[in-house]
Amino acid sequence: MNSQSLINMAKQIIANQAIADPREAADALVLHLKKFWAPQMRKELTEALEKNPDYSSDVLNHAIRDLQ
């Protein structure tokens, strides 16, 4: 799976949560990623966002910090 697809998938998960508070949305994303994504996918997402910070968001930034 390419890195842009992983970023898009993570953003879709955030959108589907429909949580207004960024901190709560990040927590929900972390829970989802830990529950349903393979460790390699989480690693690739983290690396993709480090290489392409323009594709990130506040929620993704919080979530990535919590994953590490």
Side-chain angles (χ1 to χ4, degrees):
M1 184 163 291
N2 72 42
S3 59
Q4 188 59 49
S5 293
L6 293 172
I7 293 169
N8 290 340
M9 287 171 50
K11 287 182 175 184
Q12 287 174 343
I13 293 165
I14 294 167
N16 288 333
Q17 296 295 327
I19 299 171
D21 179 61
R23 184 72 245 169
E24 289 179 26
D27 291 343
L29 176 60
V30 168
L31 180 63
H32 181 95
L33 296 179
K34 287 182 175 180
K35 207 171 185 182
F36 299 108
W37 284 32
Q40 184 62 33
M41 289 174 70
R42 296 191 302 261
K43 180 179 179 224
E44 288 177 23
L45 174 64
T46 300
E47 290 171 353
L49 291 172
E50 287 172 358
K51 291 177 186 173
N52 303 294
D54 293 342
Y55 296 130
S56 196
S57 68
D58 289 341
V59 174
L60 276 172
N61 288 334
H62 286 296
I64 294 303
R65 280 193 298 266
D66 292 347
L67 275 174
Q68 298 173 354

